Each structure stands twice: as C-alpha cells, then as structure tokens.
Amino acid sequence: MPIILILSGPNLNLLGQRQPEIYGTATLADHMNRAKQTAAELGFEVESLQAQSSGEIVTAIHNARSRCAAIIINPGALTHFSWSLNDALATFSGPIVEVHLSNPATRDPWRHESVVAPVASGSIVGFGAKGYTFAINAVATLLADKK
Ligand code: DQA
C-alpha cells in the first residue's frame, strides 16, 4: 500500500491539553488514528512522526523522498519561519498538504505567513479535528488524478 507520511511540528504532542479552546480536546494520537482509518479505507498506509525541532522533520522529509507517496504536514510554529522546511519539502515530488487545526489567518499577525504554503499542493486550515481526514481525502484525489 502506498504510504502517506504525516508530520507534526513542535508542541503538537500536547494536543488535548494545550489551549483546547483553540485546538480542541482530541489528542495527536486521536487525530492519527482517525487519519489511519480514513487512509486504510482509501487503500493507503499512514506513517506519522511528531518532532520538536525542524532538523528531525527535514530528515524525515529526505527519507520520505524514495518511500512515500505523499506528505501531510502540520509544522506548528515552524510554519511561520522555517525556510529549511520549505527547502526540504521542495525536494519531494509527491503531493504535500499543509494542515492547521486553527485558522492562523484569524490569529496573531506573526501567524499570517506560512513559509510552507508556497511548496505545498494546498492547505487545509481551521477545520479542527476534521482537517486530517480532509487532507487524506485530498491526497487520495491528487494521487488518483496523476494516474
Ligand atoms: C497550528 C498553528 C500554528 O500557528 C501554531 O504555532 C501551532 C498549531 C495549528 O494547527 O493550528 O502550533 O499549526
């Protein structure tokens, strides 16, 4: 089965405890389980990694280049300044979907820019817990269109 890699940036390990009024009460494991279920229904396998630093995520993107069909990424605050993530994602040839649980455009001004968006196929923001399942469906559609 083709592999979809879901990457999560810093502080997302605290989902469920961290500002639930913004990010909801589901944990990262809850989101990943739901994503895995949706992916399995569509014929995909999900691998996931959460990291607190950009270096680990950059390495995971490099390793995905020859192994994974698509990447779904919520880079957390790295979204807004990590050009090394932009460079790494630009080396990946499959679909890339950026996900944010909240809608950064409605929040602090420093959250308004995403340095990942220019190298993503598209972004899914502000749909809370549904964002990851929307992203899996988006990836499946993009991969089917390429066939
Ligand atoms: C986030 C939005 C980012 O601005 C923030 O730094 C996060 C979470 C989201 O999913 O809404 O850590 O990526």
Side-chain angles (χ1 to χ4, degrees), residues 10 12 18 23 74 76-77 79-80 99-102 104 107 110-111:
L12 294 174
R18 174 191 180 205
Y23 299 116
N74 181 347
T79 305
H80 312 299
V99 170
H100 297 287
L101 297 163
S102 68
R107 301 179 61 197
W110 60 267
R111 295 184 202 271

Side-chain angles (χ1 to χ4, degrees), residues 69-142:
I71 294 177
I72 294 171
I73 183 163
N74 181 347
L78 298 173
T79 305
H80 312 299
F81 65 92
S82 179
W83 291 103
S84 58
L85 280 189
N86 173 300
D87 280 347
L89 289 168
T91 72
F92 185 78
S93 57
I96 298 169
V97 177
E98 176 189 16
V99 170
H100 297 287
L101 297 163
S102 68
N103 181 354
T106 63
R107 301 179 61 197
D108 322 81
W110 60 267
R111 295 184 202 271
H112 293 182
E113 185 185 8
S114 166
V115 300
V116 167
V119 288
S121 313
S123 306
I124 295 173
V125 305
F127 293 103
K130 297 189 186 72
Y132 289 100
T133 48
F134 287 166
I136 297 280
N137 279 288
V139 157
T141 304
L142 292 171

Side-chain angles (χ1 to χ4, degrees), residues 9-27:
N11 302 305
L12 294 174
N13 56 312
L14 294 181
L15 287 176
Q17 305 167 41
R18 174 191 180 205
Q19 295 175 286
E21 67 287 0
I22 296 174
Y23 299 116
T25 52
T27 64

